[in-house]
Structure formats: structure tokens, C-alpha cells
Amino acid sequence: MKSLLDERHLVSSFYVFFLIYTNIIGIGIMSFQRDITKDAGYDAWISIILSSISIHILVWMIYRILGIAKNDVIHVHKFCFGKWIGGLFNIFVIFYFLILALIVFRVYIEVVQVWLFPLMKTWQISLILLVLIYYVVSGGFRVITGMCFWTIIPFIILFPLNFFSLEFANFHNLLPVFNHSLKEIVSSSKAMLFQYVGFETLFMFYPFIKNPDRSQKWAHFGLLFSSLLYLIVALITFVFFSEGQLNHTIWPTLAEMKIAKFPLIERVEFIVVSIWLLLILPNISVKIWAGCRAIKKVINVKQRISLFIVLVLFFIIANVLKERSQIERLNEMYSNIAFYFVYLYIPFLFLYIHIKHKITK
């Protein structure tokens, strides 16, 4: 299938791997271990696998939905539900992507304040980040995709640092296996879902892919790669921390990386948090681009104007959310919304568009 857009705005299907990977691996990989072990303990590695399988199925559904519509989710809603009801769903999509970007943005600011610059004000860090985000997003989707491609650098540099903690590993922490009920593992899988949220941006960037039908395998490869990354990091954390220690550690991944020692580098975590910006920047940018693209298609406002307004709102809200408890409440509220959107709405839309397509055929 050929795209409806000008070819100079399109990216090769291969880049979908990096777009999916970048959207999934964000700030959450620094702290997800504690969240998923609250219910399933160290059997939570099973939850990572179950969540991954379910997301693979949902990605397949999204490709089937968009393959029928031959356009993005904004067009799908209008096709399925009409102008007014479809418009309400589209407004939800706008807020869905922008709030997710806001959460990643605010949490990264918190990490910078705790680990790098404790005396630096939120407005100072947010202003610097927003200038960078504006520069990337205003460059268009191809520039954002290029940034996603270079996220392989943080992976190459930082991922090996996790293995330094294996010197102090206690593999007995993983035993006994299957020590928790199915209900507890499913509950842990729900907590893990929030780490995968972001793959839904596929709903918006699908028309920007050359030969999008051929890109599905790359989307699944990106998802598989991200899942293996989460699984490996989780297992390393489980053998390094006891469950009691993990419950009192906010950012386990950063704590593990501190174990690494190099000549002339006293504080490795400074390097880690700084380099992590190369991953966080495109992660936020894709989500903001998706939200602004949806705004343009729904209310016909130029993306540069909507982008400027969105970034101003980000600046204001980021400075209003001063307490960690406020950020956690926003996380919890959003994860519940994301759960229903991902596991109920996407399958519903999949069935609905297939039925409607057969009726109108």
C-alpha cells in the first residue's frame, strides 16, 4: 500500500523498529522493578513475558485496523463513528498522548534533580528540556525518527553497566519459582503495562511509513527487543536486591549502575542520567508530535502553533507538580486509563472496523 503523503515526509519501514523501541524504553526502565514486584514478588519476570505477548497481539490488531482504514486513527474514528462521536474519541487521543509525554517529561526532571542537580529549580530544567523538544518536534517526523535511530547509543553505552552488579548476585533470590498465584501474576502484568505504553503512537505515524504493510515485522522486532531488555534488567535487579531492599529503592536500575567503577569517573550515575537524555528526548518528542498531529487533523491548527501551546502548558504543569506523591497519583490514574484503552478499546475497535468494513464493502 502506498502512503497518501508526499514521499519526502516518509521514512523507511526499517525505522519502525527504533520508533517502537524508543517509545517503550523510557524513564520507566529505571524504576519498573519495584512496581511489578508488589504483587508477584520475584515471579514478576513471568509478568513481563505475559505483558509482552499481549502487546504483540495488540500491535497486530493495530496493523489490521490501520490496514483497512489506510490512514491514522483520527480517520478511523471518523470512518467508524461519524464526525461528532468520532471527534470525541479523537479529543481523547490528543490528551492520551500528551499526558503520557508530560509524565515522562516530569519524571525525568525529578531524576535530574535527585541525581544531578538537587539545588536546580524545576522551571530551569524544564525550560532547557522544552527548548530541545521544540527544536526536535518542529523539525518534523523525519527528524524525530532520526533521533529515535540514535537511541541505540544509550543502549550500547549504558546497558553493559547493569552486569557489573552480578559480582554481588544471589541467584537464590529467584527461588522458588511459580510461588505466586495466577491472580497475583496478572496483577503484576497490569503494572508492567505502563512500561509498554507508547507503542500506540503507531496509530498516528503509520501513514508516514513507506510501504507500511511491510513494517509490521519491524514493529514486532522492536517490541521483542524492548521486552528482552526489560526482562534482562529485571532479572539482574532481582538477583542483586532482596525483596525488602527493592521495596525501599526508588530507582533500582540507577542504583545497580553505580556499582560500575572506572578510572577518572567518580560518579557513574552522572554519566548515566546525562546520556539517558538521548533516549528521553525522542521518547517525549514522538508522543508530543502524535498529540499535535492529532490536534491539526481534528481542529485544523498548524502544528507549530499547537506545539508552542502544548510546551507552554507542559512548563506550567511541570512546575505545579512539585511533590513526588502528585506525580505518582498522575501515574496511577493514567495507567488505569491506559489499561482500558489498550486491552478493551483497541480490541473493540478491531472488531468494529472489521464488521463495518464488511458491511460497507
Side-chain angles (χ1 to χ4, degrees):
M1 184 195 81
K2 289 192 71 176
S3 175
L4 300 175
L5 299 171
D6 193 307
E7 190 166 342
R8 63 193 175 91
H9 297 301
L10 308 182
V11 299
S12 298
S13 57
F14 167 73
Y15 288 102
V16 174
F17 174 93
F18 298 98
L19 286 161
I20 294 294
Y21 158 72
T22 303
N23 271 286
I24 294 176
I25 303 295
I27 200 69
I29 200 168
M30 295 183 179
S31 60
F32 77 101
Q33 302 96 318
R34 190 176 68 155
D35 295 331
I36 64 174
T37 55
K38 287 179 180 177
D39 293 303
Y42 282 1
D43 277 339
W45 63 269
I46 304 171
S47 305
I48 298 174
I49 296 173
L50 292 178
S51 298
S52 174
I53 293 170
S54 67
I55 301 299
H56 275 286
I57 295 170
L58 291 166
V59 167
W60 173 80
M61 287 183 177
I62 290 174
Y63 267 95
R64 292 297 296 253
I65 292 168
L66 299 176
I68 291 173
K70 296 179 172 53
N71 211 319
D72 57 30
V73 73
I74 305 300
H75 177 82
V76 171
H77 285 152
K78 289 180 181 178
F79 171 74
C80 289
F81 308 114
K83 181 179 179 180
W84 298 108
I85 297 177
L88 292 175
F89 280 110
N90 289 333
I91 290 171
F92 169 80
V93 166
I94 292 169
F95 282 101
Y96 184 85
F97 289 131
L98 293 181
I99 293 174
L100 179 56
L102 175 65
I103 291 172
V104 178
F105 175 73
R106 186 60 186 88
V107 172
Y108 184 72
I109 290 174
E110 184 186 19
V111 171
V112 171
Q113 288 175 315
V114 171
W115 291 86
L116 293 185
F117 307 114
L119 300 179
M120 201 169 181
K121 303 294 183 183
T122 301
W123 73 265
Q124 295 171 319
I125 303 172
S126 60
L127 186 62
I128 295 169
L129 290 177
L130 289 172
V131 169
L132 293 173
I133 291 169
Y134 180 82
Y135 177 76
V136 174
V137 179
S138 62
F141 184 70
R142 286 172 64 92
V143 171
I144 296 171
T145 304
M147 289 291 295
C148 290
F149 175 79
W150 290 110
T151 56
I152 200 68
I153 292 177
F155 168 76
I156 294 170
I157 296 174
L158 301 181
F159 182 65
L161 298 180
N162 289 279
F163 294 96
F164 282 82
S165 62
L166 290 178
E167 180 184 352
F168 308 97
N170 180 5
F171 290 93
H172 292 291
N173 288 350
L174 299 175
L175 302 174
V177 182
F178 305 116
N179 196 35
H180 294 80
S181 67
L182 180 61
K183 181 181 178 181
E184 289 171 324
I185 291 174
V186 170
S187 182
S188 174
S189 298
K190 182 181 176 182
M192 185 64 202
L193 167 68
F194 187 68
Q195 311 309 323
Y196 288 106
V197 168
F199 73 93
E200 311 94 314
T201 51
L202 174 62
F203 268 130
M204 291 305 303
F205 66 72
Y206 178 86
F208 287 81
I209 307 168
K210 292 179 184 177
N211 302 312
D213 296 337
R214 299 179 186 176
S215 68
Q216 185 172 352
K217 65 179 180 181
W218 293 111
H220 286 289
F221 285 150
L223 177 56
L224 178 62
F225 180 76
S226 304
S227 302
L228 289 173
L229 192 56
Y230 272 119
L231 182 61
I232 294 168
V233 171
L235 289 173
I236 292 173
T237 300
F238 295 167
V239 298
F240 180 70
F241 292 102
S242 67
E243 285 194 42
Q245 290 172 324
L246 187 58
N247 286 334
H248 294 90
T249 306
I250 299 176
W251 291 292
T253 306
L254 279 174
E256 292 167 25
M257 289 180 175
K258 284 177 64 178
I259 300 297
K261 300 295 181 185
F262 299 98
L264 305 177
I265 301 177
E266 182 67 25
R267 302 290 298 273
V268 174
E269 64 272 22
F270 282 17
I271 308 297
V272 172
V273 175
S274 300
I275 294 177
W276 208 257
L277 178 62
L278 292 174
L279 181 56
I280 296 301
L281 187 58
N283 181 291
I284 298 171
S285 297
V286 175
K287 296 172 177 63
I288 291 179
W289 174 87
C292 292
R293 174 73 180 173
I295 291 172
K296 178 184 177 181
K297 299 199 72 174
V298 172
I299 58 177
N300 198 26
V301 174
K302 289 184 178 180
Q303 279 186 252
R304 284 183 180 271
I305 296 174
S306 61
L307 173 61
F308 181 77
I309 294 171
V310 165
L311 296 185
V312 169
L313 290 174
F314 270 40
F315 180 80
I316 295 169
I317 297 171
N319 285 276
V320 170
L321 298 173
K322 294 182 178 180
E323 303 296 328
R324 177 166 181 79
S325 58
Q326 294 175 310
I327 302 170
E328 287 181 342
R329 282 198 297 272
L330 180 62
N331 271 341
E332 186 177 349
M333 178 193 72
Y334 185 88
S335 62
N336 288 327
I337 294 171
F339 176 81
Y340 292 111
F341 177 75
V342 167
Y343 286 119
L344 291 180
Y345 182 67
I346 292 178
F348 164 75
L349 190 61
F350 170 76
L351 293 173
Y352 189 91
I353 195 171
H354 273 77
I355 293 170
K356 190 173 179 69
H357 179 63
K358 286 183 179 180
I359 292 172
T360 57
K361 208 168 182 182

